[in-house]
PDB file of all heavy atoms in Angstrom:
ATOM      1  N   ILE M  18      -2.516  16.938  14.862  1.00 77.00           N
ATOM      2  CA  ILE M  18      -2.191  16.464  13.514  1.00 77.00           C
ATOM      3  C   ILE M  18      -0.677  16.343  13.354  1.00 77.00           C
ATOM      4  O   ILE M  18      -0.175  15.388  12.765  1.00 77.00           O
ATOM      5  CB  ILE M  18      -2.815  17.389  12.453  1.00 77.00           C
ATOM      6  CG1 ILE M  18      -4.348  17.234  12.503  1.00 77.00           C
ATOM      7  CG2 ILE M  18      -2.269  17.098  11.068  1.00 77.00           C
ATOM      8  CD1 ILE M  18      -5.113  18.221  11.669  1.00 77.00           C
ATOM      9  N   ALA M  19       0.078  17.288  13.896  1.00 76.00           N
ATOM     10  CA  ALA M  19       1.546  17.245  13.795  1.00 76.00           C
ATOM     11  C   ALA M  19       2.094  15.994  14.467  1.00 76.00           C
ATOM     12  O   ALA M  19       3.064  15.402  13.993  1.00 76.00           O
ATOM     13  CB  ALA M  19       2.154  18.495  14.414  1.00 76.00           C
ATOM     14  N   ARG M  20       1.492  15.581  15.571  1.00 78.00           N
ATOM     15  CA  ARG M  20       1.954  14.377  16.270  1.00 78.00           C
ATOM     16  C   ARG M  20       1.779  13.122  15.408  1.00 78.00           C
ATOM     17  O   ARG M  20       2.496  12.148  15.579  1.00 78.00           O
ATOM     18  CB  ARG M  20       1.225  14.218  17.609  1.00 78.00           C
ATOM     19  CG  ARG M  20       1.756  15.143  18.688  1.00 78.00           C
ATOM     20  CD  ARG M  20       1.229  14.746  20.063  1.00 78.00           C
ATOM     21  NE  ARG M  20      -0.216  14.808  20.171  1.00 78.00           N
ATOM     22  CZ  ARG M  20      -0.909  15.871  20.569  1.00 78.00           C
ATOM     23  NH1 ARG M  20      -0.295  16.974  20.895  1.00 78.00           N
ATOM     24  NH2 ARG M  20      -2.225  15.828  20.647  1.00 78.00           N
ATOM     25  N   MET M  21       0.836  13.135  14.487  1.00 78.00           N
ATOM     26  CA  MET M  21       0.625  11.992  13.592  1.00 78.00           C
ATOM     27  C   MET M  21       1.682  11.951  12.489  1.00 78.00           C
ATOM     28  O   MET M  21       1.815  10.934  11.820  1.00 78.00           O
ATOM     29  CB  MET M  21      -0.755  12.077  12.960  1.00 78.00           C
ATOM     30  CG  MET M  21      -1.875  11.768  13.917  1.00 78.00           C
ATOM     31  SD  MET M  21      -3.388  11.592  12.971  1.00 78.00           S
ATOM     32  CE  MET M  21      -4.301  12.985  13.528  1.00 78.00           C
ATOM     33  N   ALA M  22       2.399  13.036  12.282  1.00 77.00           N
ATOM     34  CA  ALA M  22       3.448  13.148  11.258  1.00 77.00           C
ATOM     35  C   ALA M  22       2.954  12.738   9.875  1.00 77.00           C
ATOM     36  O   ALA M  22       3.531  11.866   9.227  1.00 77.00           O
ATOM     37  CB  ALA M  22       4.666  12.345  11.664  1.00 77.00           C
ATOM     38  N   PRO M  23       1.897  13.383   9.381  1.00 82.00           N
ATOM     39  CA  PRO M  23       1.397  13.014   8.051  1.00 82.00           C
ATOM     40  C   PRO M  23       2.310  13.551   6.947  1.00 82.00           C
ATOM     41  O   PRO M  23       3.011  14.539   7.127  1.00 82.00           O
ATOM     42  CB  PRO M  23       0.033  13.702   7.996  1.00 82.00           C
ATOM     43  CG  PRO M  23       0.206  14.913   8.850  1.00 82.00           C
ATOM     44  CD  PRO M  23       1.129  14.476   9.970  1.00 82.00           C
ATOM     45  N   SER M  24       2.291  12.886   5.802  1.00 81.00           N
ATOM     46  CA  SER M  24       3.049  13.403   4.665  1.00 81.00           C
ATOM     47  C   SER M  24       2.144  14.263   3.781  1.00 81.00           C
ATOM     48  O   SER M  24       2.616  15.140   3.074  1.00 81.00           O
ATOM     49  CB  SER M  24       3.667  12.274   3.860  1.00 81.00           C
ATOM     50  OG  SER M  24       2.664  11.373   3.448  1.00 81.00           O
ATOM     51  N   VAL M  25       0.830  14.004   3.820  1.00 86.00           N
ATOM     52  CA  VAL M  25      -0.165  14.799   3.095  1.00 86.00           C
ATOM     53  C   VAL M  25      -1.436  14.812   3.934  1.00 86.00           C
ATOM     54  O   VAL M  25      -1.778  13.809   4.564  1.00 86.00           O
ATOM     55  CB  VAL M  25      -0.479  14.186   1.703  1.00 86.00           C
ATOM     56  CG1 VAL M  25      -1.581  14.966   1.004  1.00 86.00           C
ATOM     57  CG2 VAL M  25       0.759  14.125   0.837  1.00 86.00           C
ATOM     58  N   LEU M  26      -2.135  15.939   3.923  1.00 83.00           N
ATOM     59  CA  LEU M  26      -3.421  16.035   4.615  1.00 83.00           C
ATOM     60  C   LEU M  26      -4.525  16.267   3.591  1.00 83.00           C
ATOM     61  O   LEU M  26      -4.364  17.086   2.680  1.00 83.00           O
ATOM     62  CB  LEU M  26      -3.427  17.207   5.604  1.00 83.00           C
ATOM     63  CG  LEU M  26      -2.579  17.056   6.847  1.00 83.00           C
ATOM     64  CD1 LEU M  26      -2.515  18.364   7.610  1.00 83.00           C
ATOM     65  CD2 LEU M  26      -3.169  15.975   7.732  1.00 83.00           C
ATOM     66  N   ALA M  27      -5.623  15.567   3.748  1.00 84.00           N
ATOM     67  CA  ALA M  27      -6.822  15.822   2.953  1.00 84.00           C
ATOM     68  C   ALA M  27      -7.852  16.372   3.929  1.00 84.00           C
ATOM     69  O   ALA M  27      -8.210  15.710   4.901  1.00 84.00           O
ATOM     70  CB  ALA M  27      -7.314  14.541   2.291  1.00 84.00           C
ATOM     71  N   VAL M  28      -8.311  17.591   3.675  1.00 84.00           N
ATOM     72  CA  VAL M  28      -9.241  18.252   4.591  1.00 84.00           C
ATOM     73  C   VAL M  28     -10.552  18.522   3.867  1.00 84.00           C
ATOM     74  O   VAL M  28     -10.569  19.121   2.785  1.00 84.00           O
ATOM     75  CB  VAL M  28      -8.634  19.584   5.108  1.00 84.00           C
ATOM     76  CG1 VAL M  28      -9.623  20.312   5.994  1.00 84.00           C
ATOM     77  CG2 VAL M  28      -7.332  19.323   5.854  1.00 84.00           C
ATOM     78  N   ASP M  29     -11.637  18.065   4.480  1.00 84.00           N
ATOM     79  CA  ASP M  29     -12.974  18.297   3.927  1.00 84.00           C
ATOM     80  C   ASP M  29     -13.381  19.722   4.295  1.00 84.00           C
ATOM     81  O   ASP M  29     -13.506  20.058   5.475  1.00 84.00           O
ATOM     82  CB  ASP M  29     -13.945  17.279   4.523  1.00 84.00           C
ATOM     83  CG  ASP M  29     -15.355  17.419   3.974  1.00 84.00           C
ATOM     84  OD1 ASP M  29     -15.573  18.285   3.096  1.00 84.00           O
ATOM     85  OD2 ASP M  29     -16.229  16.660   4.423  1.00 84.00           O
ATOM     86  N   ILE M  30     -13.571  20.558   3.283  1.00 83.00           N
ATOM     87  CA  ILE M  30     -13.954  21.959   3.549  1.00 83.00           C
ATOM     88  C   ILE M  30     -15.403  22.208   3.173  1.00 83.00           C
ATOM     89  O   ILE M  30     -15.830  23.342   2.984  1.00 83.00           O
ATOM     90  CB  ILE M  30     -13.037  22.946   2.794  1.00 83.00           C
ATOM     91  CG1 ILE M  30     -13.090  22.702   1.286  1.00 83.00           C
ATOM     92  CG2 ILE M  30     -11.618  22.855   3.311  1.00 83.00           C
ATOM     93  CD1 ILE M  30     -12.425  23.795   0.480  1.00 83.00           C
ATOM     94  N   THR M  31     -16.189  21.126   3.098  1.00 79.00           N
ATOM     95  CA  THR M  31     -17.589  21.224   2.708  1.00 79.00           C
ATOM     96  C   THR M  31     -18.374  21.962   3.775  1.00 79.00           C
ATOM     97  O   THR M  31     -18.113  21.846   4.963  1.00 79.00           O
ATOM     98  CB  THR M  31     -18.185  19.815   2.523  1.00 79.00           C
ATOM     99  OG1 THR M  31     -17.388  19.136   1.562  1.00 79.00           O
ATOM    100  CG2 THR M  31     -19.610  19.869   2.051  1.00 79.00           C
ATOM    101  N   GLY M  32     -19.375  22.701   3.329  1.00 65.00           N
ATOM    102  CA  GLY M  32     -20.262  23.394   4.251  1.00 65.00           C
ATOM    103  C   GLY M  32     -19.896  24.862   4.324  1.00 65.00           C
ATOM    104  O   GLY M  32     -18.930  25.340   3.755  1.00 65.00           O
ATOM    105  N   SER M  33     -20.683  25.579   5.075  1.00 56.00           N
ATOM    106  CA  SER M  33     -20.467  27.026   5.164  1.00 56.00           C
ATOM    107  C   SER M  33     -19.725  27.410   6.432  1.00 56.00           C
ATOM    108  O   SER M  33     -19.576  28.588   6.722  1.00 56.00           O
ATOM    109  CB  SER M  33     -21.822  27.741   5.107  1.00 56.00           C
ATOM    110  OG  SER M  33     -22.629  27.291   6.189  1.00 56.00           O
ATOM    111  N   GLU M  34     -19.305  26.421   7.200  1.00 64.00           N
ATOM    112  CA  GLU M  34     -18.608  26.712   8.453  1.00 64.00           C
ATOM    113  C   GLU M  34     -17.239  27.323   8.171  1.00 64.00           C
ATOM    114  O   GLU M  34     -16.611  27.054   7.166  1.00 64.00           O
ATOM    115  CB  GLU M  34     -18.401  25.423   9.255  1.00 64.00           C
ATOM    116  CG  GLU M  34     -19.667  24.729   9.642  1.00 64.00           C
ATOM    117  CD  GLU M  34     -19.351  23.413  10.323  1.00 64.00           C
ATOM    118  OE1 GLU M  34     -18.334  23.324  11.030  1.00 64.00           O
ATOM    119  OE2 GLU M  34     -20.135  22.475  10.142  1.00 64.00           O
ATOM    120  N   ARG M  35     -16.759  28.100   9.116  1.00 67.00           N
ATOM    121  CA  ARG M  35     -15.421  28.683   9.011  1.00 67.00           C
ATOM    122  C   ARG M  35     -14.359  27.722   9.526  1.00 67.00           C
ATOM    123  O   ARG M  35     -13.198  27.870   9.221  1.00 67.00           O
ATOM    124  CB  ARG M  35     -15.335  29.987   9.825  1.00 67.00           C
ATOM    125  CG  ARG M  35     -16.125  31.108   9.225  1.00 67.00           C
ATOM    126  CD  ARG M  35     -15.947  32.406  10.001  1.00 67.00           C
ATOM    127  NE  ARG M  35     -14.578  32.660  10.428  1.00 67.00           N
ATOM    128  CZ  ARG M  35     -13.678  33.321   9.714  1.00 67.00           C
ATOM    129  NH1 ARG M  35     -13.991  33.782   8.533  1.00 67.00           N
ATOM    130  NH2 ARG M  35     -12.463  33.538  10.183  1.00 67.00           N
TER     131      ARG M  35
END
Side-chain angles (χ1 to χ4, degrees):
I18 292 171
R20 283 193 299 269
M21 287 191 247
S24 56
V25 176
L26 289 171
V28 177
D29 182 2
I30 59 169
T31 303
S33 59
E34 299 175 34
R35 290 184 41 90

